[in-house]
Amino acid sequence: MGNEASYPAEMCSHFDQDEIKRLGKRFKKLDLDKSGSLSVEEFLSMPELRYNPLLRRVIDIFDTDGSGEVDFKEFIVGASQFSVKGNEEQKLRFAFNIYDMDKDGYISNGELFQVLRMMVGSNLKDWQLQQLVDKTIIILDRDGDGKISFEEFSAVVRGLEIHKKLVLIV
Amino acid sequence: MFLLLPFDSLIVNLLGISLTVLFTLLLVFIIVPAIFGVSFGIRKLYMKTLLKIFAWATLRMQRGAKEKNHQLYKPYTNGIIAKDPTSLEEEIKEIRRSGSSKALDNTPDFELSDIFYFCRKGMETIMDDEVTKRFSAEELESWNLLSRTNYNFQYISLRLTVLWGLGVLIRYCFLLPLRIALAFTGISLLVVGTTMVGYVPHGRKKNLLLVNLSQSQHRVSSRVNMKVLTYYRKPRKNRPRNGGICVANHTSPIDVIILASDGYYAMVGQVHGGLMGVIQRAMVKACPHVWFERSEVKDRHLVAKRLTEHVKDKSKLPILIFPEGTCINNTSVMMFKKGSFEIGATVYPVAIKYDPQFGDAFWNSSKYGMVTYLLRMMTSWAIVCSVWYLPPMTRETNEDAVQFANRVKSAIARQGGLVDLLWDGGLKREKVKDTFKEEQQKLYSKMIVGNHEDRSRS
């Protein structure tokens, strides 16, 4: 992991050198086995993250190369999507990706069901959950293909000023 | 004797003389006044000088950083990000409100935007969580000339480096040997003294002797690390009494010495081997402390029984307990284990806050062993702390032990200026149970389906 003095410019993040340095320190601290990448176990070592039912989705989004672990570049790029300097499009994409589990650009009925199931745990029965999912898709699906595309998603969510909600000030 | 030694051992001679002089100085200026409780005020002067030097050093570093045109790392007091503490319900309601035109929006429903809350909270925690950072040393805003606390160590100026070098010299070559010698004296005093007191028959005289012995021994130990202690004990009645339990937040084994310098307690703890074991056995000879075998600790009823017996006996000293169960880094107070609060005795809370500028007293037991820790203590500038004795508390009739424990914890946190956390200090070593996630899920489910569906309400 070595040289902290400078990071390659192709990190393509919104952070300046100083912020990257701080995030680097945080990354090192989280990387308990010093493997250079963060496994799900290492994320789970933070007690407060256990509260969070969407943890696996977030890690999955960070892990762009599908290796199962988050290396430093993925960490920075992922965090950068939450930066104050990020644009709305990027943040909408992030939110969309939480639902779009197979990354095919559409939120299918099954995907929405699975994500909702993560959020409610075992507190709702399958049929209750399915009702909610069906209702949502019917309302939002404009072109009638039974799935929600990014445009349909943004149309609903855009007005909610996400750029204020999905923001971390480092 | 010196004259008999050959001439070319001049160095050895000088060494011999200086050591003798040092030892005499030791005895006269430190141990004797400590035994009688007198202070020359040297330590306060030392502290003032150090503070001035630290302030100069920090300014110099800032100036240096500006010249080189980059920011000096200034941590937020709470971590590397600015956090916005809102609850699940508040935030989700707010997100929904800002979007839809539904006015009185209490109809339970699901919105796509609900995930935002979880995402943000998750990211915040990944960047900086409240719990794991309590288990490592606090980061300082100004540099105190110890390379172990410098997170930005770069070459700034010659003067600064010289000052740092001087500091190292003083700390390792002067303070360290002095303190080791003091430590040995202190421990031997304790062992010898308690054995002697052990021969005195039970009674008032014995208790008096005990008091004097323990206090003077602990005072000597305090001088070991040049501790400057400020005891806030204005209301005399707040001092722990026989038959009570004294409860304090735990940062390091030194806490024990600090409290014992100013009062006398029966200790509670696990039986250790080695040096600690010797000290424990010596202490038991003089008065009844409550030491447990490791196997007994797991059996909570046994522990509770022994504590209750001790407390009922009014002639025995008040018990000193650290309910957190482990060392925390002194920026927060973590969950108090309810065992000591179930007994029903009066609880005397004590808040201990260290000033981290002179030396970090936190014992990170997963990183450093006892010996390394002691060495680090002895090579820091000083240990400075404030001790507050809070008014005694008793459990009220409509409170259970957990609520009582939390009440005491909040009082201690408030007084010491520490963050009051509900997390268990045991998380240092263990993992969190999944029940937390389940609670969060339950909360969210209620929001989208409504309360009448929730049959599992207790």
Side-chain angles (χ1 to χ4, degrees):
Chain A
M1 281 235 64
N3 195 12
E4 278 186 354
S6 64
Y7 292 99
E10 72 261 22
M11 281 275 180
C12 59
S13 71
H14 294 289
F15 297 123
D16 58 33
Q17 277 288 359
D18 192 52
E19 288 166 331
I20 293 189
K21 216 164 148 193
R22 273 185 254 168
L23 289 171
K25 286 200 178 109
R26 178 66 180 170
F27 185 84
K28 274 216 194 118
K29 212 165 158 204
L30 292 177
D31 186 12
L32 300 169
D33 60 4
K34 309 283 168 236
S35 60
S37 57
L38 301 178
S39 64
V40 176
E41 272 299 309
E42 285 165 340
F43 275 104
L44 286 174
S45 69
M46 287 180 272
E48 282 162 315
L49 273 186
R50 293 235 175 184
Y51 260 143
N52 197 316
L54 288 181
L55 177 65
R56 307 260 163 158
R57 293 300 313 136
V58 172
I59 296 179
D60 211 43
I61 298 181
F62 272 41
D63 181 22
T64 43
D65 64 3
S67 62
E69 299 199 342
V70 176
D71 62 34
F72 188 58
K73 180 151 173 284
E74 291 169 340
F75 186 72
I76 293 284
V77 171
S80 160
Q81 296 176 54
F82 275 78
S83 158
V84 167
K85 303 178 205 140
N87 63 12
E88 200 185 358
E89 173 87 12
Q90 247 188 349
K91 294 182 197 293
L92 281 172
R93 265 286 158 195
F94 189 92
F96 184 78
N97 286 335
I98 295 263
Y99 289 107
D100 183 14
M101 293 173 77
D102 58 7
K103 305 188 193 188
D104 67 350
Y106 291 97
I107 303 177
S108 69
N109 192 305
E111 286 171 341
L112 190 54
F113 185 87
Q114 282 185 60
V115 175
L116 257 181
R117 175 55 79 197
M118 282 184 210
M119 290 201 279
V120 306
S122 49
N123 293 293
L124 289 183
K125 302 214 178 24
D126 278 350
W127 62 265
Q128 289 172 306
L129 217 53
Q130 191 61 61
Q131 241 182 13
L132 278 174
V133 171
D134 293 337
K135 194 168 80 170
T136 311
I137 295 200
I138 290 175
I139 296 177
L140 298 183
D141 182 23
R142 298 222 206 108
D143 60 8
D145 60 356
K147 303 184 280 196
I148 304 178
S149 67
F150 183 61
E151 289 70 33
E152 290 160 348
F153 179 79
S154 321
V156 176
V157 167
R158 198 175 282 277
L160 300 171
E161 299 192 315
I162 318 186
H163 41 278
K164 295 207 183 122
K165 292 297 158 192
L166 290 182
V167 159
L168 278 183
I169 306 172
V170 179
Chain B
M1 197 179 75
F2 307 119
L3 304 166
L4 291 175
L5 290 166
F7 188 72
D8 55 12
S9 310
L10 193 60
I11 313 241
V12 177
N13 290 351
L14 283 171
L15 210 66
I17 299 176
S18 51
L19 275 175
T20 329
V21 169
L22 195 72
F23 206 72
T24 331
L25 268 173
L26 243 190
L27 206 65
V28 172
F29 280 114
I30 301 179
I31 301 187
V32 171
I35 297 184
F36 294 107
V38 171
S39 164
F40 283 132
I42 302 181
R43 286 176 292 169
K44 294 238 162 62
L45 192 66
Y46 174 64
M47 259 176 70
K48 281 210 192 89
T49 329
L50 274 179
L51 275 172
K52 285 208 192 93
I53 300 182
F54 294 162
W56 180 83
T58 318
L59 247 94
R60 194 69 193 76
M61 281 183 78
Q62 283 173 343
R63 222 174 49 208
K66 236 177 257 173
E67 283 163 19
K68 296 207 182 140
N69 230 355
H70 55 72
Q71 277 277 349
L72 206 66
Y73 174 33
K74 253 202 178 292
Y76 280 92
T77 41
N78 262 335
I80 63 174
I81 54 175
K83 278 200 248 196
D84 189 16
T86 45
S87 76
L88 172 64
E89 293 186 24
E90 280 172 25
E91 184 137 343
I92 292 193
K93 281 210 187 97
E94 208 190 295
I95 297 180
R96 290 182 181 176
R97 213 177 304 136
S98 61
S100 64
S101 50
K102 296 183 211 162
L104 308 149
D105 197 48
N106 261 324
T107 54
D109 199 0
F110 162 70
E111 299 270 350
L112 282 179
S113 53
D114 288 346
I115 54 166
F116 291 179
Y117 172 76
F118 292 114
C119 288
R120 195 171 67 83
K121 266 282 141 123
M123 284 304 291
E124 272 182 4
T125 312
I126 292 177
M127 289 305 140
D128 184 22
D129 74 307
E130 282 295 330
V131 183
T132 54
K133 72 170 185 238
R134 308 293 172 191
F135 299 136
S136 62
E138 190 186 355
E139 294 187 0
L140 298 172
E141 286 202 14
S142 62
W143 189 39
N144 63 352
L145 291 181
L146 295 174
S147 56
R148 67 185 78 138
T149 49
N150 191 329
Y151 303 98
N152 264 357
F153 192 54
Q154 296 154 358
Y155 179 79
I156 300 273
S157 84
L158 185 62
R159 262 188 284 177
L160 206 60
T161 322
V162 165
L163 201 64
W164 174 76
L166 205 67
V168 169
L169 208 71
I170 296 182
R171 284 183 295 119
Y172 281 85
C173 302
F174 173 58
L175 292 178
L176 182 63
L178 191 69
R179 286 167 177 175
I180 294 184
L182 270 175
F184 271 127
T185 325
I187 296 182
S188 11
L189 208 83
L190 175 71
V191 175
V192 166
T194 44
T195 324
M196 291 197 319
V197 176
Y199 289 124
V200 176
H202 256 292
R204 284 220 61 193
K205 265 237 179 90
K206 176 162 180 172
N207 277 341
L208 229 68
L209 263 176
L210 250 180
V211 169
N212 285 331
L213 174 71
S214 120
Q215 290 202 308
S216 56
Q217 187 272 331
H218 285 291
R219 267 194 289 260
V220 171
S221 309
S222 312
R223 306 275 167 119
V224 168
N225 283 334
M226 292 223 171
K227 291 195 198 90
V228 180
L229 306 168
T230 322
Y231 293 101
Y232 294 91
R233 48 162 123 87
K234 277 342 162 13
R236 192 86 207 163
K237 58 179 161 60
N238 285 352
R239 301 284 235 93
R241 306 233 182 118
N242 284 6
I245 300 183
C246 176
V247 149
N249 57 319
H250 199 29
T251 307
S252 93
I254 296 183
D255 292 343
V256 173
I257 301 184
I258 291 176
L259 285 178
S261 308
D262 195 47
Y264 36 104
Y265 304 95
M267 313 287 173
V268 176
Q270 286 183 347
V271 172
H272 284 100
L275 186 60
M276 282 294 288
V278 170
I279 299 179
Q280 284 180 334
R281 280 193 290 274
M283 288 167 84
V284 167
K285 283 200 200 115
C287 93
H289 295 283
V290 188
W291 301 124
F292 294 103
E293 296 291 336
R294 262 176 216 279
S295 50
E296 280 177 26
V297 174
K298 293 254 161 72
D299 186 351
R300 287 191 25 232
H301 291 294
L302 194 67
V303 170
K305 196 158 88 86
R306 281 181 71 177
L307 287 178
T308 324
E309 280 169 11
H310 186 110
V311 156
K312 283 220 175 74
D313 185 351
K314 292 289 179 202
S315 70
K316 295 207 179 138
L317 306 170
I319 297 183
L320 176 60
I321 281 191
F322 297 103
E324 280 166 319
T326 185
C327 295
I328 311 292
N329 78 347
N330 207 234
T331 54
S332 67
V333 183
M334 295 190 127
M335 185 176 100
F336 275 5
K337 306 233 184 319
K338 62 177 183 192
S340 21
F341 297 92
E342 285 174 327
I343 298 179
T346 323
V347 168
Y348 297 89
V350 176
I352 305 180
K353 178 86 177 95
Y354 290 89
D355 185 344
Q357 280 193 308
F358 295 96
D360 181 24
F362 168 55
W363 182 26
N364 192 341
S365 52
S366 38
K367 217 168 159 195
Y368 306 111
M370 178 56 112
V371 180
T372 324
Y373 170 70
L374 283 175
L375 271 172
R376 279 170 65 94
M377 285 301 99
M378 294 197 199
T379 53
S380 39
W381 295 111
I383 310 282
V384 179
C385 79
S386 314
V387 177
W388 287 275
Y389 291 98
L390 300 170
M393 297 182 167
T394 38
R395 176 148 73 122
E396 284 165 27
T397 40
N398 54 348
E399 259 186 337
D400 67 357
V402 175
Q403 290 168 327
F404 181 40
N406 284 337
R407 193 160 61 92
V408 174
K409 179 160 68 77
S410 306
I412 293 185
R414 217 175 316 133
Q415 181 64 69
L418 306 164
V419 176
D420 185 4
L421 291 180
L422 287 175
W423 292 98
D424 182 356
L427 289 174
K428 204 174 173 184
R429 297 180 228 285
E430 299 155 8
K431 295 254 166 98
V432 175
K433 300 191 258 277
D434 272 333
T435 42
F436 287 111
K437 182 165 83 165
E438 283 157 25
E439 271 177 42
Q440 194 79 328
Q441 287 172 329
K442 198 152 51 167
L443 198 63
Y444 180 64
S445 319
K446 275 195 224 160
M447 283 202 80
I448 63 175
V449 194
N451 289 338
H452 56 277
E453 301 269 350
D454 190 347
R455 264 172 248 112
S456 56
R457 248 191 131 155
S458 52

